[in-house]
Amino acid sequence: MTSAPLASRLRVPSGPLFFPVTPYGSDGSVDIETFRTHVREGVAAGAAAVFACCGTGEFHALTPEEFRALVRAAVEETAGRVPVVAGAGYGTALAVRYAALAEDAGADGLLAMPPYLVVAGQEGLLRHYTELAAATSLDVIVYQRDNAVFTPGTVVGLARADGVIGFKDGLGDLDLMQRIVSAVRAEVPGDFLYFNGLPTAELTGLAYRGIGVSLYSSAVFCFAPDLALAFHKALNSGDDATAERLIDGFYRPFAELRKEGRGYAVSLVKAGVRLAGLDVGGVRPPLHEPSDDHVERLAELVERGRVLLGEGGRGPLPGGGRVLSRNGGRAPLRAGE
């Protein structure tokens, strides 16, 4: 059942949900100080929550010790201004261990990712997530994707479990999501939270809003917070013209570029953060870096997105109207660009 305070803090967010990348130094070790800067700048830019060490943060590649240090750093940098939700995954025993580490680090909740490798039945999935929720005092958001796909009945069971406050969809089956939302609404009292968790969630934001799902994760916020904030404002204020302009000119081409490489949901985002001026290093294997051509195309897309905002005739661009230069620096946006 829905519980506070995390659910109430997430229900009507003031900005996008921020999924920071995990920076690595030249020797491949976690760069905590750069991570602190990344989180601090994201909160200052308008993030409504920080989801640390989740998919974009390469949860799969982190040791338990690195995980705890990163979550603690996120908690310290946010200083209670916005909630911190940490990833948890693998089998039940390890998920419970990561939950304990997140709790010790001061997190406000967990994003429970799919179990490692196995394709389980509905009964096993329900048991896995309810046992995880029962083992921690942190509120749990269950993440549907890959090998963790749920029937409406199973989500009803999750919504009834103490400590499970929400459901994040990374599958993209709107018919299934509508049936899930309807089943939970009919059978479980209270407000259960739903999140659009697709890799470029803004692309389907209007469609998900149509079935009552307005919360979403924003990978773009990591490297272009002004574009992410403009879209978030447009989506939640009913300014569909601005939302559609950004979808057509930026988010759809970005999603298409992302699909040109496996693992680009992480590595292309990290390249974007580097383009924006913060050296977060590369990705850990088995992920790989995007090609130079793809990084160049990403830089051009960000510039195009900012020009589109300027063409909207809605005043100065968020963030001072600045665009990425080819070398990753910043240059002012000139009239007519």
Side-chain angles (χ1 to χ4, degrees):
M1 61 185 66
T2 303
S3 59
L6 180 60
S8 61
R9 297 178 76 184
L10 291 176
R11 187 168 291 114
V12 185
S14 57
L17 304 179
F18 177 32
F19 286 66
V21 302
T22 295
Y24 303 120
S26 57
D27 62 354
S29 63
V30 167
D31 185 344
I32 292 289
E33 290 310 309
T34 300
F35 179 74
R36 287 181 178 276
T37 300
H38 188 37
V39 170
R40 187 165 59 248
E41 291 181 349
V43 173
V50 174
F51 283 68
C53 304
C54 296
T56 310
E58 295 178 79
F59 170 80
H60 68 278
L62 301 174
T63 68
E65 294 76 18
E66 291 170 333
F67 170 87
R68 177 167 50 190
L70 288 161
V71 174
R72 178 169 289 138
V75 170
E76 290 172 355
E77 292 302 326
T78 57
R81 288 172 290 172
V82 299
V84 174
V85 179
Y90 305 116
T92 307
L94 276 176
V96 168
R97 181 183 178 193
Y98 277 95
L101 293 171
E103 189 169 351
D104 179 67
D108 298 288
L110 298 173
L111 178 62
M113 290 178 283
Y116 172 72
L117 194 59
V118 297
V119 178
Q122 296 297 300
E123 180 181 357
L125 288 171
L126 181 59
R127 180 181 174 188
H128 169 71
Y129 291 103
T130 54
E131 287 189 6
L132 170 60
T136 179
S137 65
L138 299 179
D139 289 333
V140 175
I141 299 164
V142 175
Y143 194 0
Q144 168 170 268
R145 58 175 294 169
D146 301 320
N147 60 321
V149 177
F150 302 87
T151 65
T154 300
V155 182
V156 167
L158 291 170
R160 286 174 173 159
D162 289 337
V164 179
I165 68 164
F167 185 79
K168 181 181 179 185
D169 178 48
L171 183 65
D173 184 337
L174 284 173
D175 175 84
L176 175 60
M177 273 303 294
Q178 177 64 84
R179 289 185 287 116
I180 286 171
V181 170
S182 175
V184 173
R185 183 171 57 227
E187 299 188 39
V188 184
D191 295 323
F192 195 61
L193 300 181
Y194 298 96
F195 303 77
N196 174 357
L198 291 172
T200 306
E202 288 93 342
L203 187 63
T204 53
L206 293 170
Y208 274 81
R209 189 186 66 186
I211 62 171
V213 179
S214 59
L215 299 171
Y216 62 91
S217 54
S218 177
V220 169
F221 186 84
C222 287
F223 61 88
D226 51 345
L227 296 181
L229 284 163
F231 184 87
H232 184 272
K233 180 180 179 181
L235 183 68
N236 286 279
S237 66
D239 181 5
D240 290 359
T242 295
E244 289 171 356
R245 187 167 67 252
L246 287 171
I247 288 171
D248 295 347
F250 173 73
Y251 283 105
R252 178 178 55 80
F254 172 68
E256 290 170 349
L257 175 60
R258 192 200 70 235
K259 289 182 179 180
E260 292 190 32
R262 288 188 178 273
Y264 272 19
V266 178
S267 62
L268 192 65
V269 171
K270 229 170 180 181
V273 179
R274 294 194 301 270
L275 281 170
L278 186 63
D279 185 3
V280 291
V283 290
R284 282 180 171 172
L287 297 178
H288 69 280
E289 295 303 311
S291 68
D292 290 344
D293 174 65
H294 289 167
V295 174
E296 176 72 11
R297 286 166 59 189
L298 175 61
E300 292 170 354
L301 280 174
V302 174
E303 290 186 6
R304 182 192 306 173
R306 288 176 172 144
V307 170
L308 287 170
L309 286 183
E311 290 174 350
R314 300 180 186 278
L317 302 183
R322 303 177 76 82
V323 301
L324 290 170
S325 66
R326 286 294 179 269
N327 63 5
R330 298 278 182 171
L333 180 65
R334 297 185 295 274
E337 282 191 330

